[in-house]
Amino acid sequence: MADILIIDDDLEVCETMESLITRLTHNCASAHTLDAGHRMIREGNYDVIFLDVRLPDGNGLDILPDIMALPDPPEVIILTGKGDPDGAELAIRGGVWDYLLKPSSIREISLTLGRALKYHEEKRGRDADRNLDLNGVVGESPIIKVSFNLLSQAARSDSNVLITGETGTGKELFASTIHANSKRKEAKFVVVDCAGLTESLLESTLYGHRKGAFTGAQADRIGLVKLADGGTLFLDEVGEMPLSMQKAFLRVLQERTFRPVGDTREQTSNFRLVAATNRDLEEMVEKGTFRSDLLYRLKTMHIHLPPLKDRPEDIRPLCIYRVHQICRQYGMPPKSFGSDFHPALESYDWPGNVRELFNILERAVVTAGNEKTLYAMHLPRELRVQMAKAQIERMTGGAHRPEPETAPIPEPVRKIGQDIFEDIFEQELPTLRDFKSTAEKVYLGELIRQCDGDLPRILEVSKLSRSHFYSLLKKYGLAL
């Protein structure tokens, strides 16, 4: 007996499906809004969810990442009353089991439900026999947990895997984790950096060479393809592989045979291929710079790693993991975090992704030294300035469009504001009262200097009244 949830605002559809599912001896519950359904998913433990796309309070596809991030995610069958090919694509990419158009026949619903339940049961049994070693793979956001689920599937299979994502998102870490959890884990994980080798070097590096095959080949050399025999061959930045080499490598991938440079005999290698790239290979195929047949071979399984800016909720666990790792590496006592540390990091876009974050954290730990707590002040100056500039843009209108009734801030004033804030960001902030007094005194001194003490000009530039101006001079002990 399985637990089924229907999320659909059509009461007649819910009643019909509840009746069918009950007759099939399963438990069934229903919700008529996205919010109610989402709440029931969090509180319950369902095997299959029938999910409508268009609901009164939102799109059903929006909660797919949350569903897929559950420890034991149910199978999702999307329901919709309209043909929506884009919605179908999004649903399938999001990991749903099937996509049905309403009204569907009772036979079609029954068959789809039966297949989904059978798959779900088999998946549970498979997962129960396997505990993944995710050492170093950190994240709690729904979007990264989708990638974790795909990693788990890849580790259980022997298929080719293509990992895509921006530089610094952890593609090599995912590749090595797939290997470490696969049946090939006792053999070697061999890395090939396609971007760091010329065409002639890449061929020799991959396939090896015989002595005398070319100038400088003073001895036989085993290629990385052979070195990965029985293990995993990881092609990093595969999009950089020269087009002229792609056809030859496709044959190696298909036949698992190759010929070292300068040799007449073919060799074999039983390797598992994992490739990674930060480039859009499909776009390269359209431009003719990457072979479509090679892409299809590489992409038997596809894992996309989202940029860090799309999963800010992962910054805190990544910080905790990395700082603990650094302290242990340097023989330091564990460090805690000040209340301003994580919010400061979460305000930054991280163009270098996790790699940049880890580098920044190491610098912060070194800067803190024996101090027990990490604060935003321990972050590198250039990073803090960049974060300050982003805050200043919001505060002074550089990136923010003022409301219609608000007068725009003049450019000279905005520039002065940026300079002042960038300067004070490098030290402990004074009170607002002290800051305003200091800024006012500095302004008056510069006003007098630029106007050469000419009172009418001073009053014209500052728009102060004579009495107000003299009261300020008295307040700050200044004179014309």
Side-chain angles (χ1 to χ4, degrees), residues 166-169 306-309 350-358:
E166 295 179 5
T167 298
T169 48
L308 190 54
K309 67 181 179 181
W350 299 107
N353 294 294
V354 179
R355 183 181 298 155
E356 182 184 10
L357 172 64
F358 281 9

Side-chain angles (χ1 to χ4, degrees), residues 74-378:
E75 309 314 317
V76 179
I77 300 172
I78 292 293
L79 299 171
T80 183
K82 299 179 181 179
D84 184 359
D86 292 334
E89 179 182 353
L90 287 171
I92 293 167
R93 288 185 183 277
V96 305
W97 172 256
D98 207 347
Y99 188 92
L100 298 177
L101 294 177
K102 295 187 295 186
S104 294
S105 68
I106 290 176
R107 181 176 180 277
E108 188 174 8
I109 295 171
S110 299
L111 285 173
T112 300
L113 176 59
R115 293 181 187 129
L117 287 172
K118 183 178 180 182
Y119 170 78
H120 190 66
E121 191 62 31
E122 290 177 352
K123 184 176 71 174
R124 270 183 174 165
R126 209 167 50 222
D127 292 344
D129 296 335
R130 175 175 209 93
N131 292 318
L132 288 181
D133 176 10
L134 296 179
N135 182 36
V137 182
V138 179
E140 299 175 356
S141 63
I143 191 171
I144 198 63
K145 285 191 176 180
V146 172
S147 300
F148 288 176
N149 289 336
L150 291 171
L151 184 155
S152 176
Q153 294 174 26
R156 290 193 300 265
S157 78
D158 207 35
S159 301
N160 299 332
V161 183
L162 177 64
I163 305 173
T164 58
E166 295 179 5
T167 298
T169 48
K171 297 186 290 294
E172 184 171 345
L173 174 62
F174 258 64
S176 62
T177 303
I178 290 171
H179 171 75
N181 288 277
S182 72
K183 63 184 181 181
R184 296 174 177 265
K185 62 184 179 182
E186 301 302 329
K188 293 184 178 180
F189 176 75
V190 180
V191 180
V192 181
D193 181 8
C194 297
L197 297 170
T198 62
E199 182 174 345
S200 57
L201 276 177
L202 185 59
E203 185 177 13
S204 173
T205 301
L206 282 175
Y207 311 133
H209 61 252
R210 288 288 171 255
K211 180 180 178 180
F214 51 84
T215 303
Q218 298 177 356
D220 291 351
R221 178 180 175 181
I222 298 175
L224 297 182
V225 169
K226 186 62 178 178
L227 202 62
D229 193 6
T232 301
L233 182 70
F234 175 54
L235 292 185
D236 196 15
E237 300 304 339
V238 69
E240 306 298 328
M241 181 180 284
L243 188 62
S244 57
M245 276 203 65
Q246 292 175 23
K247 183 177 181 181
F249 185 74
L250 177 63
R251 179 179 177 276
V252 174
L253 200 52
Q254 290 171 333
E255 307 295 334
R256 293 300 195 271
T257 61
F258 63 96
R259 184 180 294 115
V261 178
D263 201 347
T264 57
R265 296 166 298 176
E266 287 199 332
Q267 298 183 14
T268 62
S269 177
N270 176 23
F271 62 89
R272 192 260 180 97
L273 182 74
V274 179
T277 183
N278 61 4
R279 303 183 66 178
D280 186 337
L281 296 186
E282 292 183 355
E283 182 179 319
M284 292 179 67
V285 167
E286 292 178 3
K287 292 180 178 179
T289 55
F290 201 86
R291 291 181 64 97
S292 59
D293 46 6
L294 178 56
L295 175 58
Y296 298 146
R297 283 281 180 178
L298 297 177
K299 206 175 179 180
T300 305
M301 292 191 69
H302 178 209
I303 302 175
H304 180 71
L305 300 186
L308 190 54
K309 67 181 179 181
D310 290 349
R311 49 186 186 108
E313 58 267 58
D314 287 336
I315 289 177
R316 185 180 296 266
L318 283 166
C319 287
I320 294 170
Y321 166 79
R322 181 56 178 160
V323 169
H324 176 73
Q325 188 183 51
I326 294 168
C327 289
R328 188 174 54 195
Q329 177 184 340
Y330 290 170
M332 294 179 170
K335 294 187 184 296
S336 59
F337 300 93
S339 59
D340 64 343
F341 192 79
H342 295 305
L345 295 178
E346 289 166 4
S347 69
Y348 183 56
D349 280 344
W350 299 107
N353 294 294
V354 179
R355 183 181 298 155
E356 182 184 10
L357 172 64
F358 281 9
N359 179 58
I360 291 296
L361 291 173
E362 184 166 1
R363 292 174 65 182
V365 170
V366 171
T367 301
N370 293 326
E371 297 176 40
K372 295 180 180 179
T373 306
L374 291 176
Y375 295 98
M377 284 294 292
H378 292 127

Side-chain angles (χ1 to χ4, degrees), residues 4 15-28:
I4 316 296
E15 289 174 0
T16 301
M17 293 186 68
E18 282 184 36
S19 175
L20 168 63
I21 291 168
T22 303
R23 290 201 306 272
L24 293 172
T25 69
H26 299 304
N27 298 322
C28 186

